[in-house]
Amino acid sequence: MSVTKGFSIVISSALAFGVIGAVLGFTLGVMAPGYYRAVFRSGEAPNFHPPSVGFGLGFTQGIVAGLLVGVAVVFAVAWYQSRVNQRDEIPTAS
């Protein structure tokens, strides 16, 4: 696996998870705004907007999760390829 491909896997995973997290957080803020109001002290303030809070939290948490998943995938593929390359380099008795 090339470095470029590894980076693209990590970045695309982070963006995909970020978008999914933002959508889920926004939806939670719209459908159950009391959740975010209960979690934050300033939840009852007039300028507190639960969908925006959900969007932001979901996006940032999704990015972190996506980075972890992307790094794990790249690590697993690199480890697998190194094992396959080691096996192919072992000389066989002729």
Side-chain angles (χ1 to χ4, degrees), residues 25-26 28-30 32-37 43 47-56:
F26 181 81
L28 182 61
V30 170
Y35 170 74
Y36 289 120
R37 290 192 189 282
N47 61 349
F48 188 82
H49 192 244
S52 298
V53 172
F55 181 88

Side-chain angles (χ1 to χ4, degrees), residues 5 27 60 75 78 84:
K5 188 172 184 179
T27 303
T60 55
F75 178 77
V84 168

